[in-house]
Amino acid sequence: MDLSLDYAKKMDENDSLYSFREEFHLQSGVLYMDGNSLGLMSRRAEAKTLELMESWKTLGINGWTSGTHAWYYLSEHIGQQMAGITGALPHEVIATGSTTVNLHQLLASFYKPEGRKTKIIADALTFPSDIYAIQSQIEQKGLTAADQLLQIESRDGFMLEEDDIIAAMTEETAVAILPGVLYRSGQVLDMQRITEAARKNDIIIGWDLSHSAGAVPHQLHDWGADFAFWCTYKHLNGGPGSVGALFVHEKHSGRMPGLAGWFGSAKEKQFDMDHTMTPASDAGAFQIGTPHVLSLAPLLGSLEITEEAGIQAIRKKSLQLTDYMTSLIEEKLAEHGFTIVSPVEHHRRGAHLFIEHPAAAGICKALKNEGVVPDFRMPNGIRLAPVALYTSFEDVWHTIVILENIMKTEAYKQYDNTRDIVS
Ligand SMILES: *Cc1c(COP(=O)(O)O)cnc(C)c1O
């Protein structure tokens, strides 16, 4: 494979998504490889935020029902934008809450331990917040988390085997909560296969799509997943703390939310102020209180970009970027002690690469000093995320050449090999 800078430039010239790069606030001298933690701000997200600020300024309370983006319907509207990206029907997705809060809501709604069917399956590699939420929901039911939560172990510490997950499903399993893409190794799970197995075993299955929404295509409706939830500040570029999302399959329409609140009401009933709730008949029922309008605003712009680019085209370029980055790492860093942990096969690889090195923390600090923004994961991992919407092949080339120089000159040894508080 030709890995030269010329090759990278040629790839950029032929890249049908290249123009989207202009839409983002890229900082000069910075190679941003951390879009899987916090996506960058686009001009459209910025403009929509200012537009909603203006509607507050000029309309006051009337902004709920008038103006270009009446706030009362904003969560539903943005949910519909995300439905296309995740393979859901428009009324199956709502923008609300945050990843962790949505998991609490969905477990409160769908985890109904009964008889011997009381256990929840999760995995040993998942993001800690998901585990905390699951444990506390089990305890809320008067059960003991240590007895009821089964975490599927990884064979190698990085990857999960679908076979192991499916083999663990028994008649005692009530719910399974799994990630679409693992946050460390970036492995994509075979969501369709696992969902089918769950359905066969009469298990409620919920997917955490935080690392896959906006990066990998999904067919949530057709797969028949019961529910899903995700954040919007990673690959969906909604900004720090942007409002999260949840999907509930229409087969569950009419179900009472476990954590009820007035914004879960049928829209036309909400202002009746009745003390008996009439829940919305769709995913909207799982909202709780007043939407965080100013944290929804950027999504109006950022999701428009994702929709225009198309999730299939984003996925295609993303794989090309991580392929190219992998080849460069193999060629230029071969003698410097890195291990690429992320899966090689396209169908198992998400949108970032996870590489390991004993001096990872120091290397990340040296990279930041050279204008590359990576992210460090304890104890010795570096995540690099070239993002289809705004990273060029040339950016990837420069990133790995900078890393090569840091290794050759041993510049990383000037930094202590410990983590920063947020990293
Ligand atoms: C990013 C992420 C979260 C974050 O949860 P918040 O409630 O948005 O803070 C949770 N789970 C996974 C798998 C994530 O990747």
Side-chain angles (χ1 to χ4, degrees), residues 36-37 98-102 126-130 179 181 183 208-211 229-234 242 383:
N36 63 330
S37 282
S98 68
T99 317
T100 312
V101 169
N102 289 343
T126 200
F127 199 79
S129 201
D130 294 39
V181 168
Y183 80 103
D208 184 337
L209 307 182
S210 293
H211 274 276
F229 53 99
W230 58 93
C231 65
T232 60
Y233 47 78
K234 291 170 182 165
S242 57
R383 284 194 310 193

Side-chain angles (χ1 to χ4, degrees), residues 8-163:
K9 286 182 173 169
K10 211 164 284 159
M11 288 296 283
D12 286 334
E13 271 167 32
N14 294 323
D15 171 17
S16 62
L17 299 183
Y18 193 83
S19 60
F20 286 103
R21 181 177 162 84
E22 306 293 319
E23 304 238 14
F24 287 84
H25 287 285
L26 299 169
Q27 304 298 298
S28 76
V30 176
L31 293 162
Y32 194 77
M33 294 291 147
D34 207 3
N36 63 330
S37 282
L38 180 68
L40 289 179
M41 185 199 269
S42 61
R43 291 176 211 288
R44 285 198 238 184
E46 184 181 29
K48 288 294 181 189
T49 307
L50 294 173
E51 208 178 292
L52 285 212
M53 293 284 278
E54 188 67 20
S55 69
W56 175 29
K57 191 194 282 180
T58 57
L59 300 172
I61 190 78
N62 293 323
W64 284 105
T65 48
S66 59
T68 17
H69 302 291
W71 312 329
Y72 190 54
Y73 303 100
L74 203 54
S75 307
E76 283 76 12
H77 175 77
I78 292 173
Q80 287 170 15
Q81 285 185 285
M82 283 187 279
I85 297 166
T86 51
L89 301 179
H91 57 276
E92 290 176 322
V93 179
I94 190 85
T96 189
S98 68
T99 317
T100 312
V101 169
N102 289 343
L103 176 53
H104 274 291
Q105 167 67 300
L106 291 161
L107 282 173
S109 307
F110 286 91
Y111 176 49
K112 311 268 181 193
E114 229 186 275
R116 292 180 65 217
K117 209 169 180 62
T118 57
K119 293 201 156 68
I120 298 184
I121 285 181
D123 70 274
L125 301 179
T126 200
F127 199 79
S129 201
D130 294 39
I131 295 299
Y132 305 159
I134 294 169
Q135 288 169 332
S136 68
Q137 284 295 325
I138 291 171
E139 302 275 343
Q140 287 287 321
K141 296 287 196 292
L143 301 171
T144 307
D147 298 338
Q148 305 301 336
L149 172 59
L150 175 65
Q151 287 185 262
I152 308 301
E153 293 295 332
S154 162
R155 299 184 194 182
D156 63 1
F158 304 111
M159 251 52 102
L160 296 170
E161 295 302 323
E162 283 84 359
D163 287 341

Side-chain angles (χ1 to χ4, degrees), residues 165-317:
I165 296 169
I166 292 168
M169 295 176 173
T170 70
E171 71 277 3
E172 295 186 353
T173 315
V175 176
I177 303 289
L178 293 160
V181 168
L182 273 65
Y183 80 103
R184 286 173 68 87
S185 67
Q187 178 195 356
V188 184
L189 285 179
D190 187 338
M191 290 178 260
Q192 180 170 13
R193 185 176 160 218
I194 294 170
T195 301
E196 274 168 16
R199 292 176 62 195
K200 252 182 228 149
N201 286 284
D202 194 23
I203 293 167
I204 294 275
I205 177 126
W207 290 100
D208 184 337
L209 307 182
S210 293
H211 274 276
S212 59
V216 173
H218 303 79
Q219 293 300 333
L220 288 173
H221 178 82
D222 288 348
W223 294 339
D226 293 286
F227 63 80
F229 53 99
W230 58 93
C231 65
T232 60
Y233 47 78
K234 291 170 182 165
H235 290 285
L236 293 171
N237 310 313
S242 57
V243 173
L246 62 81
F247 158 92
V248 174
H249 198 283
E250 71 173 359
K251 65 189 168 189
H252 297 299
S253 71
R255 178 178 285 249
M256 271 303 280
L259 307 175
W262 75 316
F263 259 85
S265 300
K267 283 282 194 238
E268 68 284 4
K269 293 276 188 193
Q270 181 173 342
F271 279 87
D272 288 358
M273 298 312 211
D274 198 335
H275 279 196
T276 304
M277 183 186 177
T278 307
S281 59
D282 53 21
F286 299 88
Q287 298 174 87
I288 301 175
T290 302
H292 303 178
V293 171
L294 298 182
S295 301
L296 283 165
L299 286 165
L300 283 167
S302 70
L303 291 172
E304 215 179 80
I305 294 177
T306 303
E307 286 178 296
E308 267 179 42
I311 193 69
Q312 299 295 345
I314 287 172
R315 175 63 171 159
K316 184 171 170 223
K317 179 178 171 188

